[in-house]
Amino acid sequence: MGARVVVVGSINVDSVVRVDAHPSPGETVLGLGVELLPGGKGANLAAGAAAAGADVQLIGRVGDDDLGRRYVERLAEHGVDVSAVSVDGERPTGQAFITVAASGENSIIVIAGANGGVEADAAAHAIPDDAAVVVVQLELAPAVAEAVLRRARALGALAVLNPSPVSPAASALLELADVVIVNEHEWAALGEPADACVTLGGAGARWGAARVAPDPVEAVDTTGAGDAFAGALVARLAAGATREDALRDAVAAGARATTYAGAQPWGFSAPAPRSSDAQ
Ligand code: RIB
């Protein structure tokens, strides 16, 4: 197990609707089924880091509701330290409404719910002194990301920004991060930052001179693949891997994450997978 990875991020319950093809604006399509699954970019990343062997802590917030409670229990069962996940007495657990087409491509709408109750100072101060890698995404308020990155720097931890979903506020955060993980769309929106680690969808990822393509997989759902990639990348960096090795393992984790429905390889009520399933 490597040094401690701390993720400050969102925790969502995903309502996943499968369709043959995404509806166009103004169009109605018939869904093929709906499922409630664990999601949220922060929780997905933390679970991915834990699956990759990291000692990982998640700082976030859920509502005082059944699914929120069950989700936190599931994260703990899968190796994530949830002692800094707080409960919001007024807002429900965050939700995402996801449409997945037969191609595996998704579209996502997020309702912040309890994630909106994560406060910048509280989140930054919850980061333990022994954090080696601190990761933040942008489903929490930009002020949270800024405070978290500053605290990571102050602690001497590796400050990792995964500016997803990208917003105008993200540009100002780049200089506070040691590592920036983006997809091609985010990379372009941020002015093509030179040293970013860039995911390339089915083509893998690149980071500096390193470029890795995945082994072929049968993709059924791309939801959370970027989060799984980022989780594995930070886990491997925390364990002292080189950029190239971390990138290779992260690409493999991202590809694996497209082979099952949902953002994580488990549901709210499924039994914990055997350890060999998470490899
Ligand atoms: O990256 C995928 C995630 O984005 C989903 O799990 C959804 O909750 C949104 O946060």
Side-chain angles (χ1 to χ4, degrees), residues 10 12-14 38-41 44 95-96 98 108 110 139 164 223-225 227 263:
S10 59
N12 296 333
V13 173
D14 291 352
K41 294 184 191 301
N44 296 341
Q95 286 177 274
I98 304 180
I108 304 179
V110 172
E139 282 186 341
S164 181
T223 307
D227 307 332

Side-chain angles (χ1 to χ4, degrees), residues 215-240:
D215 291 335
V217 292
E218 193 71 34
V220 297
D221 183 356
T222 57
T223 307
D227 307 332
F229 171 93
L233 189 86
V234 297
R236 298 293 291 127
L237 292 176

Side-chain angles (χ1 to χ4, degrees), residues 108-183:
I108 304 179
I109 298 169
V110 172
I111 305 293
N115 297 303
V118 175
E119 290 175 356
D121 284 351
H125 285 106
I127 298 170
D129 293 350
D130 66 349
V133 179
V134 177
V135 194
V136 69
Q137 298 161 309
L138 294 185
E139 282 186 341
L140 305 179
V144 176
E146 179 179 342
V148 164
L149 292 169
R150 288 191 190 283
R151 167 90 171 143
R153 282 269 175 91
L155 290 173
L158 190 74
V160 180
L161 173 64
N162 177 208
S164 181
V166 72
S167 70
S171 296
L173 299 171
L174 294 178
E175 66 182 25
L176 300 175
D178 301 310
V179 174
V180 175
I181 305 170
V182 283
N183 63 27

Side-chain angles (χ1 to χ4, degrees), residues 18 218-224 228 253 256-266:
R18 298 201 73 91
E218 193 71 34
V220 297
D221 183 356
T222 57
T223 307
R256 247 188 336 267
T258 69
T259 62
Y260 49 77
Q264 296 178 38
W266 41 276

Side-chain angles (χ1 to χ4, degrees), residues 1-278:
M1 182 170 287
R4 174 158 274 220
V5 172
V6 178
V7 181
V8 182
S10 59
I11 303 170
N12 296 333
V13 173
D14 291 352
S15 296
V16 182
V17 178
R18 298 201 73 91
V19 292
D20 283 327
H22 293 292
S24 305
E27 187 187 9
T28 299
V29 298
L30 296 180
L32 306 174
V34 61
E35 269 186 293
L36 289 181
L37 294 169
K41 294 184 191 301
N44 296 341
L45 197 157
D55 170 9
V56 57
Q57 177 171 24
L58 175 63
I59 297 171
R61 199 162 172 86
V62 292
D64 187 10
D65 42 56
D66 284 348
L67 274 180
R69 272 187 288 274
R70 210 184 311 165
Y71 193 171
V72 173
E73 285 169 13
R74 285 279 176 274
L75 284 166
E77 284 169 15
H78 288 82
V80 177
D81 176 347
V82 292
S83 58
V85 174
S86 57
V87 177
D88 193 309
E90 296 180 358
R91 289 172 263 221
T93 298
Q95 286 177 274
F97 298 91
I98 304 180
T99 310
V100 180
S103 62
E105 292 299 320
N106 64 57
S107 62
I108 304 179
I109 298 169
V110 172
I111 305 293
N115 297 303
V118 175
E119 290 175 356
D121 284 351
H125 285 106
I127 298 170
D129 293 350
D130 66 349
V133 179
V134 177
V135 194
V136 69
Q137 298 161 309
L138 294 185
E139 282 186 341
L140 305 179
V144 176
E146 179 179 342
V148 164
L149 292 169
R150 288 191 190 283
R151 167 90 171 143
R153 282 269 175 91
L155 290 173
L158 190 74
V160 180
L161 173 64
N162 177 208
S164 181
V166 72
S167 70
S171 296
L173 299 171
L174 294 178
E175 66 182 25
L176 300 175
D178 301 310
V179 174
V180 175
I181 305 170
V182 283
N183 63 27
E184 290 172 290
H185 162 72
E186 292 154 355
W187 184 67
L190 292 170
E192 305 184 357
D195 199 35
C197 176
V198 185
T199 59
L200 307 169
R206 63 180 168 81
W207 195 6
R211 190 178 181 110
V212 177
D215 291 335
V217 292
E218 193 71 34
V220 297
D221 183 356
T222 57
T223 307
D227 307 332
F229 171 93
L233 189 86
V234 297
R236 298 293 291 127
L237 292 176
T242 63
R243 270 188 180 199
E244 289 73 18
D245 286 348
L247 192 68
R248 191 193 57 238
D249 292 348
V251 164
R256 247 188 336 267
T258 69
T259 62
Y260 49 77
Q264 296 178 38
W266 41 276
F268 289 116
S269 53
R274 299 179 308 270
S275 58
S276 58
D277 292 343

